[in-house]
């Protein structure tokens, strides 16, 4: 008999209840309340005469991210994010008897939720030998197990709805985390029997732990990053059960915490949640926190931390003062002061196998929440948005009535695959996501707007003036459901104020039909730098900013570096365009972001050495900046055509263990490091990042002018700055690097010059072999093709290495995600 079987039998016999209600588990330095009832009596009293608690056990995932606990990793279908040793358990508080309802040593059990009648339990279950989590329901006595959902999808975190349906999170949305190697789950709902499944969110990132509020709305965690940091914005939002009325609940202006597992506290206006530090911890671990929305979503004073440590999970409020919580292998009762008592503890054998306790819920009836009448009409393809007054908002200093003439409408585009934690090659330290320019809608003189938008897609707005310059930029997204009419007060509106007392019929925008988005002629809807922007620089800028005329030490050629073109990298590190970067900042000052704030735009009207672009060329550059200034225009570029960085770094060094790279590194170290040390350090090879930060580049940081992205030329290796800077002028170089007033390389026959050149030439050959997205014969990575086959976008029998139009494939993929009208 193995250890697992011994523990299983012990659990079934109820013999492993360890430290039941042990006062010794009170947190260090704290005491339980004097004169209180015994722990057993207290918990039974809180359960109101009921005696049982259901909870799940499973091995924790190996991934440190809070969300990476289902599915597989990109590029390696055999590497799973989940583990096993799953069980669904029921503990009788009065008798200390433990009943194992589900016991699957090769499966995974998670997310139990008890029905309003207290007799049924819905949960998520991956059966042993299978890969997908599905929703199941079981009677509280362990009978009548039935599967509700199926298919090659992961359905997790179900919650019963007052209208009889079930709301849950699922990766049926066919998208991947924009900064990690795992799939995204967003909110769906279904009928009680698992039928009529439909999506109610368009998010490109994770949503988690939905739970009904007493007023009928659903509280959940929403992760997003629209032109701002990918690791700082995962806060609490609400939605109606049909997906309408999505709105911030708490915290979206305060970066740096994951607010998750939130539930309403009975008989109060407060909720209890886990505040998981930073970008969140594995399995949602964090501090148990009680908060109130009374002072609005931005007032941090209304959040009170009650736990003393950051390693608790899954709070369930039994009252305003007591909460069931999980911690590692223990099920605990925590009071309002953070004092904890152990209710149940897993046997040491299971704890050693990294099995932990999760999601404790009392098995007892509860009151149904208020029901909100559905506002979505699934037979429609659009919804409507009313903007009351674009000038009514926060941080609108200097914006005068009449300044804003229109709204630019952009869409964040979901990602079909992702391989790393970075944004490259989509940008260098900026956007992770391609953004589609849909067009504009008018703003009336009174500041109102009324528009019709495609349903179930993620949009954000930029307020433009009469010159199409950015006045204010939105750094979040909104969704309209089919048939929904929703509204907002203003631009970054105040969340603690009611709308101005205006008769809605006086809004100028409502005196007409809703505006349809007007496309902008002469520009692509999805930009690509080499295709759309580089030809403009080739035409106007290379007389001064090529390698033969290194004016201002600025290079604007399309020559390829190890990851980006030299012009794209130059524009980025010199901050010639002002985007959101990957920074934890939002609601920026008016006119401080976008094309209008970008130094590049000041160089296009003839004032910069008589360089004057046509109106069409200026427009092209303007809207490229507004669309996040991406490098590629396809997600097929991810994981391909890159040397070093996140992308295939190990593979590059395995497949191409260049002798030339070793020799070049030695040459650079011997000839250059006497001068190039500290913040002037040089890369030693094509993959050497030298720890240069690109999240908020400082144009004056000399390291940015000397990174691998600029000093190595893989289009014309002899034009590499690593060679031109130390080469004597008489030999065709710049003569910038000297020793005793003599150029470091007197001519191109210097042995060390030849070593560096050999490495660059080898890099060119390798890049021509693996190919970048803008090179003839480009084939996207196998992971991209595989997922597009899974989604039904590409034929299942498409042969390996087949030529694919990645731009058309992306578009077909995005269109497959659009809402399809239903007669129901």
């Amino acid at each position: 008999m193995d250890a697992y079987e011994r523990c299983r039998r012990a659990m079934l016999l109820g013999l492993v209840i360890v430290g039941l209600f042990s006062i010794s588990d009170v947190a260090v330095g704290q005491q339980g309340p004097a004169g209180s009832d015994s722990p057993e009596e207290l918990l039974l009293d809180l359960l109101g005469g009921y005696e049982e608690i259901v909870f799940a056990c499973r091995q924790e995932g190996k991934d440190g991210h809070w969300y990476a606990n289902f599915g597989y990793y990109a590029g390696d279908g055999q590497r799973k994010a989940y583990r096993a040793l799953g069980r669904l358990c029921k503990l009788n508080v009065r008798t200390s008897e433990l009943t194992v309802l589900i016991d699957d040593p090769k499966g995974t059990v998670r997310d139990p939720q008890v029905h309003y009648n207290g007799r049924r339990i819905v949960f998520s279950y991956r059966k042993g030998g299978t890969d997908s989590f599905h929703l199941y329901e079981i009677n509280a006595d362990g009978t009548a197990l039935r599967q509700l959902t199926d298919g090659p999808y992961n359905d997790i975190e179900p919650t019963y709805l007052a209208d009889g349906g079930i709301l849950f999170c699922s990766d049926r949305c066919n998208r991947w985390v924009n900064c990690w190697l795992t799939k995204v789950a967003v909110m769906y709902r279904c009928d009680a029997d698992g039928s009529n499944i439909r999506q109610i969110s368009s998010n490109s990132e994770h949503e988690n732990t939905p739970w009904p509020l007493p007023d009928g709305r659903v509280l959940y965690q929403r992760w997003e990053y629209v032109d701002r940091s990918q690791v700082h914005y995962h806060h609490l939002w609400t939605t109606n059960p049909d997906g309408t009325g999505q709105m911030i609940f708490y915290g979206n202006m305060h970066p740096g915490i994951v607010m998750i597992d939130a539930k309403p506290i009975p008989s109060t206006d407060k909720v209890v949640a886990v505040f998981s530090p930073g970008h969140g911890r594995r399995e949602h671990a964090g501090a148990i926190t009680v908060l109130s929305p009374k002072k609005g979503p931005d007032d941090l004073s209304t959040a009170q931390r009650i736990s003393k440590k950051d390693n608790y999970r899954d709070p369930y409020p039994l009252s305003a003062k007591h909460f069931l919580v999980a911690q590692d292998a223990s099920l605990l009762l925590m009071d309002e002061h953070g004092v904890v008592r152990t209710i149940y503890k897993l046997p040491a054998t299971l704890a050693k196998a990294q099995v932990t306790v999760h999601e404790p819920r009392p098995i007892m009836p509860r009151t149904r929440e208020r029901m909100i009448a559905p506002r979505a009409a699934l037979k429609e393809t659009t919804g409507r948005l009313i903007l009351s007054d674009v000038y009514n908002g926060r941080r609108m200093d200097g914006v005068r009535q009449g300044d804003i003439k229109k709204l630019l409408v952009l869409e964040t585009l979901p990602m079909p695959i992702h391989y790393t934690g970075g944004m490259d090659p989509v940008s260098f330290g900026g956007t992770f996501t391609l953004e589609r320019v849909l067009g504009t809608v008018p703003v009336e003189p009174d500041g109102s707007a009324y528009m019709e938008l495609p349903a179930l897609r993620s949009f954000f707005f930029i307020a433009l003036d009469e010159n199409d310059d950015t006045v204010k930029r939105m750094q979040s997204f909104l969704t309209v459901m089919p048939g929904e009419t929703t509204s907002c007060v203003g631009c970054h509106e105040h969340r603690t104020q009611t709308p101005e007392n205006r008769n809605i019929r006086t809004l100028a925008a409502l005196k007409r039909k809703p505006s349809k988005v007007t496309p902008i002629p002469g520009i692509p809807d999805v930009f690509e730098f080499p295709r759309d922007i580089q030809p403009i620089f080739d035409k106007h800028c290379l007389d001064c900013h090529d390698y033969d005329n290194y004016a201002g030490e600025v290079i604007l050629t399309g020559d390829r570096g190890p990851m980006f073109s030299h012009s794209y990298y130059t524009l980025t590190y010199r901050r010639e365009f002002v985007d959101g970067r990957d920074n934890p900042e939002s609601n920026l000052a008016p006119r401080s972001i976008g094309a209008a704030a970008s130094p590049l735009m000041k160089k296009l009207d003839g004032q910069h050495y008589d360089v004057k672009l046509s109106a069409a060329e200026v427009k092209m550059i303007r809207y490229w900046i507004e669309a996040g200034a991406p490098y590629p225009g396809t997600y097929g570029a991810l994981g391909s055509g890159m040397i070093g960085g996140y992308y295939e770094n190990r593979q590059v060094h395995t497949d191409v263990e260049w002798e030339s790279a070793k020799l070049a590194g030695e040459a650079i170290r011997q000839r250059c490091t006497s001068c190039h040390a500290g913040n002037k350090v040089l890369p030693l090879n094509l993959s050497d990042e030298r720890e240069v930060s690109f999240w908020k580049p400082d144009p004056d940081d000399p390291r940015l002018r000397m990174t691998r992205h600029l000093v190595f030329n893989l289009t014309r290796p002899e034009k590499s700055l690593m060679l031109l800077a130390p080469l004597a002028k008489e030999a065709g170089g710049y003569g910038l690097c000297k020793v005793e007033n003599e150029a470091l390389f007197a001519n191109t026959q210097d042995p060390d010059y030849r070593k560096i050149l050999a490495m660059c030439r080898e890099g060119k050959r390798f890049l021509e072999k693996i190919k970048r997205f803008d090179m003839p014969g480009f084939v996207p990575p196998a992971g991209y093709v595989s997922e597009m086959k899974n989604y039904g976008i590409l034929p299942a029998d498409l042969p390996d290495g087949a030529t694919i139009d990645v731009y058309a494939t992306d578009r077909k993929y995005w269109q497959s995600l659009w809402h399809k009208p239903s007669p129901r």
Side-chain angles (χ1 to χ4, degrees):
M1 185 186 304
D2 62 19
Y4 176 84
E5 181 64 17
R6 288 196 299 271
C7 287
R8 187 185 73 84
R9 293 189 179 186
M11 292 178 73
L12 290 172
L13 293 171
L15 300 177
V16 294
I17 307 299
V18 180
L20 185 63
F21 308 111
S22 171
I23 297 298
S24 65
D25 284 289
V26 173
V28 175
Q30 299 182 60
Q31 300 294 326
S36 63
D37 295 335
S38 71
E40 180 181 4
E41 293 173 343
L42 174 60
L43 185 53
L44 288 171
D45 183 60
L46 291 168
L47 293 177
Y50 294 89
E51 301 179 352
E52 295 178 321
I53 296 171
V54 65
F55 60 94
C57 301
R58 59 184 177 271
Q59 286 179 312
E60 289 192 352
K62 295 181 179 180
D63 198 308
H65 296 89
W66 92 86
Y67 53 84
N69 48 28
F70 64 86
Y72 55 91
Y73 286 85
D76 184 359
Q78 300 307 308
R79 182 187 174 200
K80 311 299 184 182
Y82 56 80
R83 295 177 73 191
L85 297 181
R87 57 180 55 79
L88 184 67
C89 301
K90 182 176 66 172
L91 174 68
N92 187 294
V93 173
R94 186 178 300 279
T95 67
S96 302
E97 179 183 358
L98 186 81
T99 304
V100 180
L101 305 177
I102 301 289
D103 183 16
D104 191 342
K106 295 184 178 180
T108 314
V109 177
R110 55 180 294 169
D111 314 320
Q113 158 72 300
V114 179
H115 192 268
Y116 297 101
N117 62 20
R119 297 193 297 270
R120 302 202 306 271
I121 301 166
V122 66
F123 61 102
S124 180
Y125 178 25
R126 182 194 62 80
K127 281 192 172 182
T130 68
D131 292 326
S132 298
F133 286 89
H134 297 126
L135 301 189
Y136 284 77
E137 194 173 51
I138 192 171
N139 289 342
D141 62 4
T143 62
L145 175 67
R146 62 175 182 146
Q147 183 174 338
L148 302 181
T149 62
D150 58 13
Y153 312 106
N154 293 283
D155 302 325
I156 61 173
E157 299 176 341
T159 188
Y160 288 110
L161 295 173
D163 61 17
I166 298 172
L167 196 148
F168 60 100
C169 297
S170 178
D171 66 2
R172 296 168 182 265
C173 56
N174 290 344
R175 59 201 72 184
W176 288 66
V177 176
N178 287 193
C179 65
W180 199 234
L181 298 75
T182 54
K183 287 186 174 182
V184 162
V186 302
M187 290 187 298
Y188 283 71
R189 63 165 296 156
C190 65
D191 292 346
D193 61 0
S195 64
N196 193 30
I197 295 173
R198 64 182 179 87
Q199 187 174 346
I200 65 168
S201 170
S202 65
N203 200 351
S204 293
E205 294 297 344
H206 272 279
E207 292 165 339
N208 288 97
T209 59
W211 199 276
L213 290 169
D215 64 8
R217 294 176 299 159
V218 176
L219 182 64
Y220 65 101
Q221 182 275 142
R222 164 167 147 174
W223 181 21
E224 61 169 32
Y225 41 100
V226 179
D227 299 327
R228 56 181 181 171
S229 170
Q230 96 265 31
V231 296
H232 284 84
Y233 295 93
H234 5 57
H235 299 95
L236 297 179
W237 289 68
T238 58
T239 182
N240 295 334
D242 66 348
T244 60
Q246 296 180 21
M247 183 62 64
I248 181 65
F249 182 82
Y250 193 84
N252 196 42
M253 294 298 294
H254 298 287
I257 202 82
V258 176
M259 301 179 184
I260 200 165
D261 284 306
K263 302 173 188 67
I265 298 175
S267 304
T268 74
D269 61 357
K270 298 179 180 181
V271 302
V272 63
V274 171
F275 278 26
S276 194
H279 189 36
R281 294 181 178 173
R282 181 184 301 156
E283 297 290 355
H284 309 180
I288 305 302
T289 304
V290 172
L291 62 93
S292 169
K294 260 190 172 182
K295 295 183 179 180
D298 304 322
D299 192 325
L300 293 181
S301 69
T302 60
Q304 178 187 5
R305 173 176 171 150
I306 63 173
S307 69
K308 303 301 183 284
K309 296 181 180 180
D310 290 330
N311 62 345
Y312 296 99
R313 298 185 305 272
D314 308 314
Y316 189 99
L318 298 172
S319 70
K321 297 183 178 182
H322 294 93
F323 312 90
L324 292 174
V325 299
Q327 182 192 49
D328 300 327
S330 298
L331 172 59
L332 309 171
L333 180 66
M334 178 181 289
D335 71 14
E336 61 182 327
H337 304 291
V339 176
V340 294
R341 296 175 172 86
T342 299
I343 299 172
Y344 170 77
K345 192 171 184 178
L346 290 175
T349 308
L350 290 179
K352 187 176 181 180
Q354 297 181 317
V355 175
T356 49
V357 171
H358 300 265
E359 300 106 18
R361 325 287 195 216
I363 301 178
M364 56 188 291
R366 56 193 175 90
T367 303
R368 288 180 186 261
E369 301 82 16
R370 174 177 173 264
M371 283 196 288
I372 299 176
R375 291 164 48 193
L378 302 185
K379 63 182 179 180
E380 298 189 25
T381 60
T382 63
R384 288 153 296 281
L385 174 66
I386 302 167
L387 170 61
S388 176
D389 183 0
V390 73
Y391 303 102
N392 184 355
R394 293 170 290 177
R395 208 171 185 185
M396 296 292 286
D397 298 343
V399 181
R400 298 171 300 176
Q401 190 80 22
D403 281 355
I404 298 171
K405 303 299 184 184
K406 65 185 77 168
L407 298 179
L408 180 65
V409 183
L410 297 102
E411 177 183 8
T412 63
L413 295 171
M415 191 172 283
I417 187 72
H418 198 81
Y419 306 94
T420 76
M423 73 286 289
D424 45 284
V426 175
S427 73
F428 182 74
T431 182
F432 283 76
T433 310
L434 295 177
E435 299 170 354
R436 186 203 306 271
V437 179
L438 270 74
T440 61
V441 294
V443 172
E444 302 296 337
D446 67 347
S448 64
Y450 183 31
M451 68 197 79
E452 185 175 26
L453 297 171
L456 263 176
R457 288 159 66 180
S458 299
F459 299 111
F460 66 100
F461 305 118
I462 300 174
L464 303 179
D465 65 14
E466 61 185 355
N467 298 314
D468 292 334
D469 284 336
T470 303
V471 177
K472 190 76 172 179
R473 187 182 184 96
M474 182 176 174
Q475 291 176 280
S476 182
F477 75 90
L478 63 79
T479 299
V480 292
M481 291 297 291
E484 178 184 12
T485 298
T486 190
S487 63
C488 54
V489 175
C491 190
H492 293 271
E493 63 199 45
H494 294 274
R495 300 295 187 177
T496 56
Q497 296 179 1
T498 56
E500 181 182 346
N501 186 19
R502 300 169 66 188
N503 186 336
I504 193 169
R505 295 181 180 179
T506 68
L507 297 180
L510 293 184
K511 296 179 181 179
R512 53 170 172 77
K513 292 182 178 180
S515 302
K516 295 184 181 295
V517 180
T518 302
I520 300 171
I523 66 169
D525 59 345
V526 180
F527 279 90
E528 179 169 285
F529 183 84
R531 180 193 65 206
D532 304 321
I533 307 302
Q534 186 60 49
I536 299 174
F537 293 127
D538 291 344
K539 178 180 177 181
H540 295 282
C541 305
L542 299 193
D543 285 347
C544 297
H545 299 299
D546 199 347
Y547 298 94
D548 295 330
N549 190 358
Y550 189 33
E553 298 186 358
V554 172
I555 294 294
L556 293 178
T557 73
D559 294 62
R560 297 182 182 93
M563 192 171 287
F564 304 95
S565 72
H566 286 176
S567 54
Y568 183 82
Y569 175 78
T570 297
L571 292 171
T572 303
Y573 95 78
R574 294 180 66 89
R575 300 292 280 138
E576 286 294 328
F577 57 83
V578 179
D579 58 352
R581 294 284 86 196
D582 188 25
N583 288 326
E585 301 173 6
S586 57
N587 193 17
L588 302 176
R591 303 181 175 92
S592 64
I593 185 174
S598 297
L600 177 61
M601 298 301 294
K602 311 295 191 296
K603 298 178 173 68
L604 309 180
D605 60 1
Q607 298 182 51
H608 181 72
Y609 297 96
D610 298 323
V611 175
K612 187 171 179 60
L613 276 61
S614 69
E617 292 168 330
V618 171
K619 183 164 69 170
M620 188 73 76
I621 293 175
R622 175 190 304 280
Y623 289 106
W624 168 70
I625 295 173
E626 302 298 11
Y631 181 46
T634 171
Y635 287 136
L638 297 170
S640 64
M642 311 292 133
I643 297 176
Y646 277 116
Y647 286 100
E648 303 180 14
N649 195 23
R650 292 191 180 92
Q651 180 178 338
V652 168
H653 286 287
T654 300
D655 294 347
V656 188
E657 191 64 47
W658 300 323
E659 183 65 22
S660 59
K662 294 181 180 179
L663 295 174
E666 292 171 0
I668 295 167
R669 186 179 289 109
Q670 292 172 6
R671 301 291 292 274
C672 304
T673 53
S674 60
C675 294
H676 287 280
N679 64 0
K680 296 182 180 180
V681 67
L682 291 172
L684 299 179
N685 56 60
L686 303 180
S687 301
D688 189 1
E689 287 283 7
R690 309 305 288 175
E691 299 182 357
V692 173
S693 173
F694 49 74
W695 276 269
K696 195 170 185 178
D698 178 359
D700 296 324
D701 185 345
R703 294 176 301 169
L704 291 166
R705 296 187 290 110
M706 303 174 189
T707 69
R708 68 190 187 95
H709 300 292
L710 193 58
V711 301
F712 299 123
N713 190 322
L714 305 188
T715 300
R716 296 177 286 172
E718 70 281 359
K719 297 295 184 181
S720 295
L721 294 178
M722 186 70 84
L723 297 172
L724 292 173
L727 182 61
K729 289 185 178 180
E730 310 85 69
Y734 300 156
L736 296 177
C737 299
K738 298 181 180 181
V739 176
E740 296 181 356
N741 212 32
E742 295 291 333
L744 194 64
F745 297 148
N747 55 59
T748 59
Q749 299 307 309
D750 185 291
D752 288 332
Y753 176 97
R754 305 303 299 180
K755 292 174 184 177
I756 299 171
L757 177 60
M759 178 183 67
C760 294
R761 285 175 172 170
E762 188 66 34
K764 177 183 179 180
R765 284 192 290 270
F766 184 69
L767 184 56
E768 289 172 346
K769 175 185 175 182
I770 64 173
K771 297 191 184 301
R772 194 166 292 174
F773 65 91
D774 60 336
M775 298 172 69
F778 168 73
V779 175
Y784 175 90
V785 175
S786 175
E787 291 304 315
M788 289 301 191
K789 288 181 178 180
N790 291 341
Y791 305 149
I793 307 303
L794 291 175
D797 58 356
L798 185 75
D800 293 343
T803 301
I804 298 169
D805 183 340
V806 290
Y807 303 95
T809 303
D810 277 0
R811 288 183 181 278
K812 187 176 179 182
Y813 159 71
W814 292 324
Q815 290 172 9
S816 74
L817 306 178
W818 295 355
H819 169 68
K820 298 170 181 62
S822 168
R824 178 165 178 174

